[in-house]
Amino acid sequence: IVDKDVMQLYYPSDLMYLRQVYDNILKDGGVQRSKPYRMITHNGDFVKLETEWTSFVNPWSRKLEFVIGKHFIIEGPRNPDVFQSPEADKRNKICKEETAKNQALRDTIIRIMNEEMTKPAEAQKQAMNKRCQDLAFFMESILDETPKPDEELRIEIQDRDHSFYERDSVMLGGISPHHEYDDSNTSTEAPLT
C-alpha cells in the first residue's frame, strides 16, 4: 500500500460512513474510535478495522496539515498471504455508475479536508484570548504585591563563611559581579569605564 492513495483502499460501500468520519475529524479534531470499516489488502481481500483519528490544523493558515489514524484490525483477510498478487477473478466488476458514485464520494472527502477551518480555529482563538486574559490578571496581581518604594526592603544574609558566591564567581578580566571595582581582591586596579 506504499505510495497508494488511501481513498482507493477504502471498501466502496464504506465510503459514505468514512465521509462522516472525516467530517467529524475536522469539526472535533479527531474521532475516539470509529465503527468497523473495511480496507483493501495487496492480495485483493479486505481487512475489517477500527481507527482512532487525530488531526492537526495549522493555526495560521487554518488548513488541515495531516490526519493520523491508529488502526486496530478487527478481522483479517480471508487469504492471510497479503503479499500475494491479486487474482483477476477477485477484482470487483463494478458498473460505471457505481464507480462514478464512489469517485464522487472520494472527491467529497478530499474537498472536506482541503476546506479552510473556521470552527476549530475560532475555538482556538477564544481559548487563546482567555489565556491572555488570565495571564494579564496574574501579572496584575503580581504587580499589586510588589513592595512600595517607601517601604524598607530588607534582605537577610546568612553566615558569610558559608557563602559560596565569592569562591564560585568567575573573574573575567579582573571584573566580578561579586566584587567592588575598588576591592583589593581584583587583579587589576583600573576602574570600570
Side-chain angles (χ1 to χ4, degrees):
I1 62 173
V2 175
D3 295 330
K4 295 209 177 176
D5 182 4
V6 72
M7 297 297 162
Q8 301 299 323
L9 300 177
Y10 294 140
Y11 192 76
S13 62
D14 292 337
L15 285 170
M16 186 62 83
Y17 168 69
L18 289 165
R19 181 190 176 282
Q20 295 169 352
V21 168
Y22 278 97
D23 205 22
N24 289 337
I25 290 169
L26 295 179
K27 286 180 184 171
D28 303 331
V31 173
Q32 290 296 332
R33 192 147 180 176
S34 67
K35 294 189 299 187
Y37 65 95
R38 293 162 287 187
M39 189 178 276
I40 195 170
T41 61
H42 179 71
N43 66 8
D45 284 339
F46 287 88
V47 293
K48 189 179 284 187
L49 49 104
E50 294 177 353
T51 304
E52 291 176 0
W53 303 91
T54 57
S55 65
F56 175 73
V57 175
N58 186 323
W60 292 277
S61 67
R62 296 188 310 189
K63 295 233 180 217
L64 179 69
E65 292 289 326
F66 53 85
V67 174
I68 299 172
K70 182 178 180 183
H71 304 295
F72 300 90
I73 306 235
I74 304 302
E75 183 181 318
R78 281 180 258 136
N79 179 1
D81 185 6
V82 294
F83 298 109
Q84 182 181 6
S85 295
E87 297 174 14
D89 63 335
K90 276 196 174 183
R91 293 186 182 136
N92 293 338
K93 307 284 190 231
I94 302 175
C95 66
K96 289 182 180 183
E97 209 172 279
E98 192 69 24
T99 303
K101 180 183 169 191
N102 293 338
Q103 189 57 44
L105 283 169
R106 289 181 185 108
D107 293 342
T108 302
I109 292 171
I110 292 169
R111 189 174 58 252
I112 288 170
M113 290 190 298
N114 287 330
E115 287 178 358
E116 186 173 295
M117 304 304 299
T118 55
K119 291 179 185 175
E122 290 301 318
Q124 289 174 354
K125 194 177 199 181
Q126 289 174 354
M128 184 62 80
N129 286 341
K130 170 110 176 74
R131 284 187 288 222
C132 288
Q133 289 171 352
D134 291 345
L135 180 62
F137 177 75
F138 175 71
M139 294 299 288
E140 286 175 9
S141 69
I142 289 176
L143 291 174
D144 291 343
E145 294 174 7
T146 57
K148 306 289 187 249
D150 56 336
E151 291 180 13
E152 189 175 325
L153 181 62
R154 294 181 186 209
I155 300 175
E156 291 184 30
I157 299 176
Q158 296 188 1
D159 188 11
R160 187 164 173 86
D161 293 337
H162 297 295
S163 174
F164 298 106
Y165 298 121
E166 195 73 31
R167 183 174 44 121
D168 293 342
S169 66
V170 177
M171 299 283 288
L172 297 174
I175 301 171
S176 170
H178 304 293
H179 290 114
E180 297 290 327
Y181 70 89
D182 60 350
D183 190 357
S184 62
N185 291 336
T186 60
S187 62
T188 179
E189 297 299 319
L192 293 176
T193 58

